[in-house]
């Protein structure tokens, strides 16, 4: 029906006429395009919006003969009910796709929390109709196969931990991994090249550093930084995590100004986001038809 309305030259003015009479937005029908994300959802959503106008147009004498000639069946109440069910079930997937397609804020830490919401939403319940159950089974059957590689899974878990909006949604083992990695990074940090004066007075500077040296080991520093970060309250989902790190982290640094491990958190969040942005298309999210 929608394809016919789109292609029939007379259908467009008749549909607009019915839209005006019914006080509906004068929107054109949308067709599904297999290689365009969310086009099926948008097509059905527009169909629901324009259903009264489409029904009225299909009964208009100017279109009735053409429809009978092309053997098109009129839309039924059952078609409308199924379209409503489809939009109700699929709306969350449409919204999720928009979330992870954002270009102005990091999306890495969102992936696993969003998948958790999708899993809960697409779990079949006793109240679901057979039509809804079929949709849920197909969608989650596809989504549940994504991000199964262990290295990708760990990558996403660590990105979630470093996102202040979702840091409470990861297991303790993720924090242990981060702690070990931060200790490894700290121990491998390259010292900056000394100036001529620093090279000349290296022994004296070393003696000063020994007197001022923090008594905490690298392990203790990493644990302290992580615990302080975990102890901070989670922030709203509307907050940009990079901005949050920029504004909050300086206030949480230790009194002696030590910040190398905390800065590793910040740089890791940014670097991981850049890597995920470059590889997001390869990782895949779209549900195939």
């Amino acid at each position: 029906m929608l394809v016919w309305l789109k292609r029939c030259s007379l259908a467009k003015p008749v549909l607009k006429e019915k839209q005006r009479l019914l006080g509906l937005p004068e929107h054109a029908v949308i067709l599904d395009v297999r290689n365009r994300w969310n086009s099926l959802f948008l097509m059905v959503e527009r169909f629901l919006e324009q259903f009264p106008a489409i029904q009225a147009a299909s009964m208009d004498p100017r279109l009735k003969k053409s429809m009978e000639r092309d053997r098109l069946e009129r839309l039924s109440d059952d078609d409308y009910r199924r379209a409503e069910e489809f939009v109700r079930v699929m709306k969350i997937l449409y919204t999720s796709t928009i979330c992870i397609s954002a270009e102005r804020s990091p999306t890495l830490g969102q992936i696993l929390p969003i998948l958790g919401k999708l899993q809960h939403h697409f779990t079949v319940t006793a109240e679901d109709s057979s039509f809804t159950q079929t949709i849920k089974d197909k969608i989650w059957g596809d989504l549940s196969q994504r991000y199964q590689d262990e290295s990708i899974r760990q990558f996403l878990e660590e990105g979630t931990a470093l996102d202040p909006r979702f840091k409470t949604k990861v297991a303790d083992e993720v924090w242990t991994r981060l702690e070990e990695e931060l200790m490894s990074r700290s121990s491998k940090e390259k010292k900056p090249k000394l100036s001529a004066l620093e090279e000349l007075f290296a022994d004296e500077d070393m003696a000063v550093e020994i007197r001022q040296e923090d008594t905490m080991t690298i392990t203790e520093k990493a644990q302290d930084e992580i615990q302080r970060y975990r102890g901070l309250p989670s922030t709203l989902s509307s907050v940009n995590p990079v901005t949050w790190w920029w504004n909050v982290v300086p206030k949480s640094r230790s009194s002696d100004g030590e910040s190398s491990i905390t800065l590793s958190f910040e740089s890791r969040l940014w670097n991981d986001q850049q890597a995920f942005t470059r590889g997001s298309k390869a990782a895949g999210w779209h549900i195939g038809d």
Side-chain angles (χ1 to χ4, degrees):
M1 170 62 79
L2 296 181
V3 173
W4 185 86
L5 286 172
K6 194 78 172 178
R7 293 177 179 174
C8 179
S9 58
L10 184 58
K12 186 175 180 179
V14 172
L15 183 61
K16 281 189 174 295
E17 178 185 303
K18 304 305 180 184
Q19 288 170 335
R20 295 190 191 101
L21 289 172
L22 294 167
L24 294 173
E26 295 183 24
H27 295 156
V29 295
I30 297 174
L31 297 183
D32 175 35
V33 180
R34 290 182 63 87
N35 61 354
R36 182 174 297 173
W37 289 14
N38 297 315
S39 61
L40 177 59
F41 171 83
L42 294 173
M43 178 184 75
V44 179
E45 185 182 50
R46 179 62 56 81
F47 164 77
L48 287 177
E49 176 194 83
Q50 297 296 327
F51 183 77
I54 293 172
Q55 279 284 64
S58 68
M59 292 185 288
D60 189 284
R62 289 169 291 178
L63 298 182
K64 190 174 181 180
K65 289 184 179 180
S66 296
M67 290 182 62
E68 290 175 349
R69 184 178 64 249
D70 294 335
R71 298 180 180 179
L72 287 177
E73 296 182 6
R74 288 193 180 88
L75 299 169
S76 65
D77 290 339
D78 189 55
D79 293 325
Y80 185 82
R81 179 186 59 79
R82 288 184 174 231
E84 280 188 315
E85 283 189 58
F86 179 85
V87 169
R88 184 171 61 252
V89 174
M90 296 297 289
K91 176 71 173 179
I92 189 173
L93 189 62
Y94 170 70
T95 306
S96 299
T97 304
I98 294 174
C99 289
I100 65 167
S101 300
E103 296 182 353
R104 295 188 178 183
S105 64
T107 58
L108 174 65
Q110 302 175 11
I111 301 300
L112 295 185
I114 288 175
L115 276 176
K117 270 194 169 293
L118 291 175
Q119 181 177 11
H120 176 75
H121 177 78
F122 287 111
T123 298
V124 174
T125 65
E127 294 77 24
D128 291 334
S129 67
S130 58
F131 179 68
T132 296
Q133 289 180 17
T134 300
I135 295 175
K136 286 184 173 182
D137 285 338
K138 178 174 176 57
I139 296 300
W140 185 247
D142 189 296
L143 280 177
S144 62
Q145 303 302 313
R146 307 300 175 97
Y147 311 117
Q148 293 301 302
D149 180 84
E150 185 177 358
S151 61
I152 293 178
R153 192 77 184 185
Q154 290 184 355
F155 173 69
L156 293 174
E157 288 172 346
E158 291 166 12
T160 304
L162 296 179
D163 192 318
R165 300 168 297 181
F166 307 112
K167 61 191 177 79
T168 59
K169 298 182 180 295
V170 297
D172 288 339
E173 63 183 39
V174 179
W175 296 107
T176 301
R177 281 205 312 269
L178 282 173
E179 180 183 312
E180 293 171 352
E181 182 175 342
L182 291 176
M183 288 188 294
S184 175
R185 288 191 179 197
S186 297
S187 62
K188 293 178 181 178
E189 281 185 353
K190 294 181 179 180
K191 292 187 177 181
K193 185 178 179 180
L194 299 178
S195 66
L197 188 63
E198 289 172 325
E199 186 175 342
L200 186 62
F201 288 92
D203 292 339
E204 288 83 347
D205 286 346
M206 184 177 296
V208 173
E209 287 178 347
I210 291 174
R211 289 197 301 271
Q212 296 178 347
E213 189 175 37
D214 195 328
T215 57
M216 294 177 69
T217 64
I218 292 178
T219 300
E220 291 171 335
K221 288 180 181 179
Q223 292 172 341
D224 178 65
E225 291 284 348
I226 289 175
Q227 288 305 315
R228 282 193 284 129
Y229 167 61
R230 294 181 69 178
L232 293 172
S234 297
T235 188
L236 298 174
S237 60
S238 58
V239 173
N240 186 314
V242 173
T243 304
W244 182 92
W245 277 100
W246 184 264
N247 292 331
V248 175
V249 167
K251 301 175 185 178
S252 66
R253 290 173 183 163
S254 54
S255 58
D256 64 357
E258 176 60 48
S259 61
S260 60
I261 295 178
T262 305
L263 286 173
S264 293
F265 264 126
E266 295 178 85
S267 62
R268 173 63 187 274
L269 177 66
W270 181 250
N271 291 336
D272 283 358
Q273 168 59 22
Q274 296 304 305
F276 183 75
T277 299
R278 291 192 296 269
S280 58
K281 290 186 179 179
W285 178 273
H286 179 52
I287 302 297
D289 293 328

